[in-house]
Amino acid sequence: MFELAVDIARLLNNWAVPKEQFRSLIYYIAERGNTSNPGLFLQEIAAKALDYQEDIMTIAELEAKGMQKGRQETTIEFAKKFLANGVDRSTVKLSTGLTDEQLDALTRQ
């Protein structure tokens, strides 16, 4: 996908795209594109698509927050499974990085 960032930016610079269509397009590309780092990909487009920099960076920030939330949810699911299968609490804490308070909350659920 990174090799397409320059082409996408060039197209955005050549044709005025209504904001809502632009946002939908960028969200779709970031979500469905085949890239290991959507944030970096979006930053590459923002560096070259001058009229859209602010919107792209906002989308990149939202994408990063969504990815962080997804990682946290996955970590919590693993911790629940570890605890349910009798893995030692200290091992779960070390493996997941969760705090004692977070683990306590999981065992109360």
Side-chain angles (χ1 to χ4, degrees), residues 92-105:
V92 174
K93 183 178 174 183
L94 181 65
S95 299
T96 62
L98 295 176
T99 65
D100 285 322
E101 293 79 19
Q102 289 169 315
L103 291 176
D104 289 342

Side-chain angles (χ1 to χ4, degrees), residues 10-28:
R10 185 174 39 78
L11 291 171
L12 290 170
N13 287 328
N14 289 335
W15 289 298
V17 178
K19 291 280 187 185
E20 286 306 312
Q21 287 180 345
F22 163 76
R23 287 184 186 132
S24 296
L25 173 67
I26 294 300
Y27 275 119
Y28 181 81

Side-chain angles (χ1 to χ4, degrees), residues 40-77:
L40 190 58
F41 173 70
L42 293 173
Q43 287 175 4
E44 184 71 22
I45 295 172
K48 304 211 178 0
L50 304 178
D51 292 340
Y52 297 95
Q53 284 179 335
E54 187 175 327
D55 286 325
I56 294 171
M57 294 313 296
T58 299
I59 292 168
E61 289 171 12
L62 292 172
E63 181 75 20
K65 287 178 185 176
M67 291 179 69
Q68 176 64 28
K69 183 179 178 185
R71 284 191 292 271
Q72 183 69 12
E73 289 172 355
T74 300
T75 298
I76 289 170
E77 287 305 312

Side-chain angles (χ1 to χ4, degrees), residues 76-96:
I76 289 170
E77 287 305 312
F78 277 124
K80 285 180 182 178
K81 289 178 183 177
F82 290 156
L83 292 170
N85 286 301
V87 175
D88 180 66
R89 184 183 170 97
S90 61
T91 302
V92 174
K93 183 178 174 183
L94 181 65
S95 299
T96 62

